[in-house]
């Protein structure tokens, strides 16, 4: 096992990927086997699991040890009869997708980046896009984790509530070692981009826009020019009728597009309607490229789908505040699931994502303005992004928040896996 120690003493990653969170841990432990991980967890007085560091909140931070599962065996065990695949928690989605596709299978959906690890994305409720597509965690049918006492625990869907509370768990219940995911027969996707969707047409026809394809994203800077991009990702074989050339006042893109207008599109998955495997079209970025340097901040809010028009209009009204500190915003839909802490728990949702400039002092007041604007729509912030909502307001949108707190107390009675983030938003049961 490596522990990040160098000749001068303990050495650990000092920040997350974006650099806006400075980790307080003295060391990062990287066990190479599950048995070694069990000993590490049992012997540490305070510990948190670390994924790829793509969270922009302090959900990972701890004054104890950080433990990475990236050194565990990169399991890929396909069970065609059960239509499932069991994977090592530290694997990145892009690394899993290629062998899965070669074997004739696919995941139902992927996030924007294939670079994120499976366990981290699942634990925070990270998602892709599509009216009928749940978050990435919705594909989990089983998991294996090491609890605070060092015990190895297996949970499956058949176990009901305990399982539904343990999938999106923010690292509060244990260190996940393996996950079993639902798979479907492999498929191909065509990606088309349309330029020039106006804000008025987005607000008036949002349901038509997001129901147009298997996966749909709208990219915008919320400026009053309203030159929004619509990215349609269609499954080959069940494509809807192609939109008219001037669909909702748009026009087909005359070349590849980056979400940020004018940026180099070399890192972007292929567009222009060229069919390709699901894992080379559903993400926005290619695995072989670094999509950005991390010089950004991100926020995201999921609102009930039936409040979508109100939420979009609320953001549009404060465009004069949002645009000056924004790189790009992405709007997507996510299907409801039954996972207690998923931001899409119990409700079909619209997700409004913001990629901000890397200036915390300038961005935080705008984040507060966005939250105030969409508060009547019962927003749920993405656990791994920058947000400032009051803890009581966040908990109020989760019907099973108290049940989760009780589950955490049961599996981690000493609070070994807790941190300041959990204490704020999901405090210990008295």
């Amino acid at each position: 096992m490596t522990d990040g120690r160098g000749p001068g003493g303990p050495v650990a990653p000092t920040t997350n990927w974006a650099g806006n969170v400075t980790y307080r841990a003295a060391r990062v432990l990287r066990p190479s086997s599950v048995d070694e991980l069990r000993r590490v967890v049992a012997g540490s007085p305070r510990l948190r699991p670390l994924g790829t560091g793509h969270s922009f909140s302090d959900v990972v931070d701890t004054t104890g040890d950080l433990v990475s599962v990236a050194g565990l065996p990169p399991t890929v065990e396909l069970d065609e009869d059960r239509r499932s695949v069991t994977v090592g928690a530290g694997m990145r989605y892009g690394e899993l997708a290629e062998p899965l596709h070669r074997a004739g299978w696919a995941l139902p959906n992927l996030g924007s980046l294939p670079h994120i690890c499976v366990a981290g994305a699942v634990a925070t409720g990270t998602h892709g896009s599509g009216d009928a597509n749940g978050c990435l965690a919705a594909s989990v049918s089983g998991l294996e984790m090491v609890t605070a006492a060092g015990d190895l625990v297996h949970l499956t869907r058949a176990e009901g509530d305990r399982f539904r509370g343990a999938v999106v768990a923010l690292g509060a219940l244990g260190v996940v070692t393996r996950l079993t995911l639902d798979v479907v027969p492999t498929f191909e996707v065509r990606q088309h981009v349309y330029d020039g969707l106006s804000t008025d047409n987005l607000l008036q026809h949002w349901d038509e826009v997001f129901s147009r394809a298997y996966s749909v994203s709208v990219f915008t800077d919320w400026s009053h020019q309203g030159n929004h991009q619509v990215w349609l990702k269609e499954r080959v074989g069940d494509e809807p009728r192609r939109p008219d050339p001037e669909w909702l006042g748009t026009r087909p893109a005359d070349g590849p597009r980056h979400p940020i207008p004018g940026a180099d599109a070399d890192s972007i998955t292929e567009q222009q309607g060229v069919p390709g495997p699901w894992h080379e079209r559903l993400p926005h970025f290619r695995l072989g490229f670094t999509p950005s340097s991390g010089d950004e901040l991100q926020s995201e809010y999921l609102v009930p789908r039936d409040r979508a028009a109100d939420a979009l209009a609320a953001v549009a009204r404060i465009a004069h505040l949002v645009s000056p500190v924004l790189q790009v915003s992405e709007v997507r839909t996510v299907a409801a699931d039954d996972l207690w802490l998923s931001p899409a728990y119990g409700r079909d949702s619209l997700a409004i994502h913001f990629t901000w400039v890397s200036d915390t002092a300038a961005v935080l007041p705008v984040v507060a303005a966005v939250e105030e604007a969409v508060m009547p729509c019962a927003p749920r912030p993405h656990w791994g992004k920058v947000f400032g909502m009051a803890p009581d307001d966040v908990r109020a949108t989760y019907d099973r928040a108290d049940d989760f707190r009780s589950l955490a107390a049961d599996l981690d009675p000493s609070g070994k896996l807790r941190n300041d983030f959990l204490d704020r938003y999901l405090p210990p049961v008295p």
Side-chain angles (χ1 to χ4, degrees):
M1 177 180 69
T2 59
D3 68 354
R5 290 181 180 272
V11 177
T14 55
T15 70
N16 63 341
W17 176 71
N20 68 303
V21 176
T22 299
Y23 296 138
R24 295 172 294 165
R27 58 183 183 165
V28 175
L29 306 174
R30 185 173 165 142
S32 57
S33 70
V34 172
D35 286 343
E36 192 175 14
L37 173 63
R38 293 179 65 182
R39 293 193 294 271
V40 164
V41 175
S44 177
R46 201 161 184 85
L47 175 142
R48 290 286 292 162
L50 173 68
T52 50
H54 276 78
S55 288
F56 295 79
S57 70
D58 59 341
V59 64
V60 168
D61 191 31
T62 179
T63 55
D65 295 326
L66 288 173
V67 61
S68 169
V69 293
L72 297 184
T75 303
V76 179
E77 297 175 2
L78 180 63
D79 187 330
E80 297 191 0
D81 292 336
R82 295 180 180 271
R83 291 196 167 202
S84 68
V85 63
T86 298
V87 305
M91 287 196 72
R92 297 187 298 169
Y93 275 96
E95 295 167 337
L96 164 63
E98 292 179 6
L100 194 59
H101 172 68
R102 288 196 300 269
W105 296 90
L107 298 175
N109 208 359
L110 290 171
S112 299
L113 297 175
H115 309 72
I116 56 178
C117 77
V118 176
V122 164
T124 53
T126 297
H127 59 89
S129 174
D131 281 2
N133 296 322
C135 70
L136 301 180
S139 292
V140 176
S141 63
L143 61 85
E144 174 187 277
M145 66 179 174
V146 175
T147 64
D151 298 327
L152 190 63
V153 172
H154 301 262
L155 294 172
T156 69
R157 278 199 189 114
E159 292 165 76
D161 267 3
R162 194 173 178 87
F163 171 80
R164 289 190 285 270
V167 179
V168 181
L170 311 179
L173 307 183
V175 180
V176 174
T177 57
R178 304 206 309 170
L179 300 105
T180 300
L181 310 176
D182 298 331
V183 296
V184 297
T186 193
F187 57 95
E188 290 195 327
V189 173
R190 301 179 192 272
Q191 184 169 204
H192 299 270
V193 177
Y194 285 77
D195 292 330
L197 181 70
S198 70
T199 299
D200 285 346
N201 276 331
L202 174 62
L203 298 182
Q204 294 174 26
H205 302 284
W206 66 269
D207 190 59
E208 177 184 347
V209 170
F210 290 103
S211 62
R212 192 76 217 191
Y214 183 79
S215 173
V216 178
S217 294
V218 172
F219 289 100
T220 177
D221 63 3
W222 291 109
S223 68
H224 292 296
Q225 288 79 15
N227 187 22
H228 312 318
Q229 295 180 11
V230 185
W231 292 29
L232 304 179
K233 299 171 189 271
E234 304 165 345
R235 281 183 59 135
V236 172
D238 61 2
E239 302 97 327
R241 179 181 59 82
R242 296 273 346 116
D244 296 330
E246 295 184 0
W247 172 60
L248 296 179
T250 65
R251 59 191 178 277
D254 58 5
R257 295 289 188 265
H258 191 283
I260 301 174
D264 191 334
D266 284 350
S267 63
I268 303 302
T269 52
E270 192 161 1
Q271 302 166 3
Q272 302 285 291
V274 178
W278 57 281
H279 64 287
E280 295 179 1
R281 297 294 184 274
L282 291 177
H284 301 324
F285 296 93
R286 302 184 189 194
L287 180 63
F289 289 76
T290 301
S292 77
S293 63
D295 191 21
E296 62 192 55
L297 300 173
Q298 294 183 12
S299 301
E300 185 172 36
Y301 303 90
L302 278 73
V303 301
R305 188 184 175 95
D306 60 9
R307 303 303 303 275
D310 294 336
L312 292 169
V315 176
R317 284 194 293 271
I318 60 169
H320 62 289
L321 300 176
V322 171
S323 294
V325 294
L326 186 71
Q327 295 191 45
V328 72
S329 180
E330 180 180 7
V331 185
R332 294 175 281 180
T333 53
V334 187
D337 60 59
D338 61 358
L339 307 174
W340 291 357
L341 290 189
S342 166
Y345 172 77
R347 62 193 204 186
D348 292 333
S349 300
L350 181 89
I352 308 177
H353 178 276
F354 303 87
T355 297
W356 309 106
V357 299
S358 184
D359 185 339
T360 301
V363 166
L364 288 183
V366 181
V367 168
V370 169
E371 292 175 351
E372 181 179 4
V374 300
M375 190 61 69
C377 302
R380 289 174 178 160
H382 187 299
W383 296 109
K385 311 293 186 184
V386 174
F387 64 95
M389 285 176 60
D392 288 347
D393 290 336
V394 174
R395 280 196 303 277
T397 67
Y398 287 95
D399 298 339
R400 305 301 295 268
D402 288 343
D403 293 326
F404 180 83
R405 294 167 63 206
S406 297
L407 180 60
D410 180 39
L411 290 173
D412 181 20
S414 69
K416 176 184 294 189
L417 293 159
R418 300 197 66 84
N419 65 355
D420 292 347
F421 182 94
L422 291 170
D423 288 346
R424 287 197 305 275
Y425 295 102
L426 296 160
V429 175

